[in-house]
Amino acid sequence: AAAIERFPVAQGSPVIGKTLAEVALPTSIRLVTVLRGPFLVPPDDALVLRTDDILVMIGLQADLAQVASEFTQTRSAKPA
């Protein structure tokens, strides 16, 4: 099943300082937008990710769960 998920970029996440082009996402997942504070930032390949950015993605649930572990420091259960 497809789902929409919000992925906060946690302190210490391996994606901090990387551009969106450098972050490998499965082909089944599409990045919809990036929330940076009160702003919606278009997902441009050159956008460099920062702590507390929130990535809004749509895709298959199993693939989203796999991606979640890359953005968070620890593999914790998904918040409800």
Side-chain angles (χ1 to χ4, degrees), residues 17-63:
K18 286 188 176 181
T19 63
L20 288 179
E22 292 174 307
V23 177
L25 292 174
T27 52
S28 67
I29 291 179
R30 189 160 304 271
L31 178 60
V32 180
T33 191
V34 177
L35 293 168
R36 180 169 284 170
F39 304 106
L40 286 174
V41 182
D44 183 88
D45 276 353
L47 181 70
V48 176
L49 293 173
R50 302 180 191 165
T51 306
D52 296 330
D53 280 353
I54 297 173
L55 282 67
V56 180
M57 295 186 209
I58 189 165
L60 298 174
Q61 281 179 324
D63 293 335

